[in-house]
Amino acid sequence: TSSQVQKTPTTPCYQTAGFAVLEKKDIKEWSVEWQANTWAGYFLLPDSVMSLFDSVEEIVEMCKVDVPTAEFRLDQYRSKKRRMRGSEICVDCGGIRVLDRFGRMACGNCGS
């Protein structure tokens, strides 16, 4: 009977009692510390504040945050601005209309 006992595989992800177990290095978003730092960055430096600055140095000096937090938020804000370029508010539902793959403006919520 001891030969029938199934051993746990040594791969980074395996099933144990219905839960997936992953190594911390594989998915950083599952890290509690990463989640807390990300939330704190968005709390301390919301988009309305980020729109006022152009450099990490300005953010660190004026907002009194550490350099990694300022770098992360500036990168996230710039990425969001690039994605939002060419978008508008949908008059039907209040969602965001963006260019679809055919070059037409389409709302992500209602499709108009």
Side-chain angles (χ1 to χ4, degrees):
T1 57
S2 63
S3 63
Q4 294 176 346
V5 174
Q6 190 176 20
K7 294 185 178 183
T8 305
T10 58
T11 58
C13 178
Y14 57 89
Q15 295 290 330
T16 305
F19 297 100
V21 178
L22 299 171
E23 288 184 11
K24 187 175 181 179
K25 66 180 180 176
D26 292 332
I27 300 178
K28 69 179 180 182
E29 288 84 3
W30 285 21
S31 161
V32 174
E33 183 179 3
W34 181 88
Q35 291 177 9
N37 289 338
T38 301
W39 181 86
Y42 278 89
F43 180 76
L44 295 171
L45 301 168
D47 288 347
S48 58
V49 171
M50 294 304 299
S51 66
L52 304 173
F53 301 105
D54 293 323
S55 71
V56 171
E57 293 78 20
E58 289 177 323
I59 297 168
V60 170
E61 182 181 335
M62 299 300 289
C63 299
K64 307 297 185 214
V65 295
D66 60 348
V67 172
T69 299
E71 288 173 342
F72 172 77
R73 280 299 290 133
L74 190 58
D75 181 52
Q76 292 294 313
Y77 179 72
R78 287 178 176 165
S79 175
K80 181 179 178 181
K81 272 182 59 175
R82 280 192 300 274
R83 287 192 316 268
M84 296 299 292
R85 194 173 300 141
S87 63
E88 61 186 35
I89 301 296
C90 177
V91 294
D92 296 329
C93 71
I96 298 174
R97 297 180 65 184
V98 294
L99 289 173
D100 65 9
R101 64 180 183 203
F102 302 109
R104 299 174 298 192
M105 294 299 283
C107 177
N109 290 338
C110 68
S112 65

